[in-house]
Amino acid sequence: MNKQVLPPLLAVVGQTAVGKSALALSLTEVFEGEIVTADSRQVYKYMDVGTDKPSIGDRQRVAHHLIDLVEPDVAFTLADYQALAYNVIAGVTGRGGLPILAGGTPLYANAVLEGWTIPQVEPDMELRAELEAEAEQTNPNLLHARLAELDPQAASTILPSNTRRIVRALEVITRTGKPISAQQGRTAPPYRILRLGLACDRTELYRRIDARVDLQIERGLVDEVRSLHDRGYAFDLRSMSGIGYRQIGAYLQGTATLEEAIQRIKWDTHSFARHQANWFQRAVDTVWLDATDNDRLEKAVDIVKSWLKQ
């Protein structure tokens, strides 16, 4: 397909708390766009404060897609997200708008931007529970070592600390008898893509993260987690294992003080941001902007205008 006839797809990427959502929102208003959310936690209903969902006002100003899709106890896979995202992007393009992919889950964003082929293997919740319990009760590195024996290629791309992805890879091997790496591939999606990234030095990024956590507490994160549990959503659900929910869950169960939970949220978010940086370093075609530059919006607008004219 001739590259010049491909419809445009803009992606705003970067680490958590760097300002992606604000930049994406501003760009949608300049270019008549719609936001396609790439966040593995914002797909869950009732989980608003801890996932930093856009405000009702922002969602009324600009269309935000792929938010509040499922109940917190419903399994939602990367393949589910990718299929929905492609449908939404096609709809925005069909309406003559500019789809802007933005969110804090690099796995979700890359699955769309790089056209990953994702194994269609239904979740085996019993097997997952067994593997997750094993990782919790022993050394998580043992699961990674087992994956390295069965699928060294997959293990080389997954951090030993990423239990969720390790469990999924082992699940696929168990269910299909084939390594997950042998079932994955990439087919470039039918879009002309611009990755626009926001970067921030580590000290400033940690300051922003810590300030955001404090704000989440002020906005009622503890009450939100308590309300979810009161609705019947158990603390051991996958959705409740996200940063913020897991730590406040420990506080509500009496295994941590509130001060300890808050500090743990900050430290775990710092760690998550470092892992995100590893993902984004691989995207060599990203155009990076300084998140602390007061002129970042103007520069982003100029970059996008030039790209759209090509």
Side-chain angles (χ1 to χ4, degrees):
M1 184 179 292
N2 189 320
K3 216 176 175 184
Q4 291 185 348
V5 304
L6 295 178
L9 169 60
L10 173 63
V12 178
V13 301
Q15 293 161 280
T16 187
V18 79
K20 298 182 299 297
S21 298
L23 179 61
L25 185 66
S26 297
L27 290 174
T28 59
E29 296 179 318
V30 174
F31 295 102
E32 298 183 0
E34 299 181 29
I35 292 178
V36 184
T37 304
D39 191 295
S40 63
R41 300 299 174 181
Q42 291 187 4
V43 301
Y44 295 112
K45 298 177 181 178
Y46 321 125
M47 305 179 79
D48 303 329
V49 177
T51 65
D52 282 304
K53 283 180 187 170
S55 67
I56 297 300
D58 287 343
R59 292 164 74 172
Q60 290 174 340
R61 284 168 55 198
V62 171
H64 288 69
H65 302 278
L66 304 183
I67 294 175
D68 291 338
L69 300 178
V70 296
E71 303 282 331
D73 57 353
V74 173
F76 188 83
T77 68
L78 179 62
D80 293 332
Y81 172 79
Q82 185 193 52
L84 290 171
Y86 281 144
N87 285 337
V88 167
I89 291 168
V92 176
T93 298
R95 291 188 289 275
L98 174 64
I100 301 180
L101 187 72
T105 306
L107 194 68
Y108 276 31
N110 288 340
V112 172
L113 298 173
E114 299 174 2
W116 292 3
T117 301
I118 303 170
Q120 300 293 321
V121 178
E122 290 295 321
D124 184 332
M125 304 312 294
E126 184 176 346
L127 175 61
R128 284 187 180 185
E130 291 177 2
L131 293 172
E132 288 169 355
E134 180 181 338
E136 186 174 344
Q137 295 167 7
T138 62
N139 187 338
N141 289 339
L142 295 178
L143 278 188
H144 190 267
R146 187 186 309 171
L147 178 62
E149 292 180 4
L150 298 171
D151 188 352
Q153 183 177 341
S156 69
T157 66
I158 302 175
L159 291 171
S161 59
N162 196 332
T163 302
R164 182 175 181 180
R165 289 190 63 203
I166 294 170
V167 167
R168 176 56 176 170
L170 290 172
E171 177 185 50
V172 170
I173 295 171
T174 302
R175 293 290 301 276
T176 67
K178 298 178 181 178
I180 190 172
S181 60
Q183 303 180 55
Q184 294 173 323
R186 299 182 184 186
T187 302
Y191 297 100
R192 185 164 59 91
I193 295 171
L194 170 64
R195 292 179 187 245
L196 194 61
L198 282 178
C200 187
D201 76 78
R202 183 170 291 185
T203 299
E204 170 62 15
L205 184 63
Y206 286 179
R207 186 197 66 78
R208 293 185 181 199
I209 288 171
D210 293 350
R212 187 178 69 180
V213 173
D214 290 337
L215 182 59
Q216 288 175 336
I217 296 299
E218 291 178 16
R219 292 176 56 210
L221 177 58
V222 174
D223 288 338
E224 179 171 273
V225 179
R226 182 184 291 114
S227 175
L228 285 161
H229 189 254
D230 289 345
R231 285 174 179 264
Y233 299 116
F235 289 120
D236 61 355
L237 283 173
R238 184 173 295 274
S239 60
M240 295 284 273
S241 70
I243 296 176
Y245 296 91
R246 179 175 68 253
Q247 296 83 355
I248 296 301
Y251 160 64
L252 293 175
Q253 295 174 88
T255 60
T257 66
L258 181 57
E259 291 74 18
E260 289 170 341
I262 293 171
Q263 187 59 63
R264 177 50 60 187
I265 294 172
K266 293 177 180 179
W267 285 339
D268 287 350
T269 309
H270 296 172
S271 177
F272 176 59
R274 292 194 297 272
H275 293 161
Q276 286 179 311
N278 293 333
W279 274 92
F280 295 127
Q281 285 173 0
R282 303 172 191 168
V284 295
D285 55 344
T286 302
V287 179
W288 291 99
L289 294 171
D290 184 349
T292 63
D293 187 343
N294 292 331
D295 297 326
R296 61 188 177 280
L297 175 58
E298 290 75 9
K299 291 178 179 178
V301 168
D302 289 342
I303 291 168
V304 174
K305 282 183 177 178
S306 176
W307 168 67
L308 289 173
K309 289 178 181 178
Q310 293 176 6

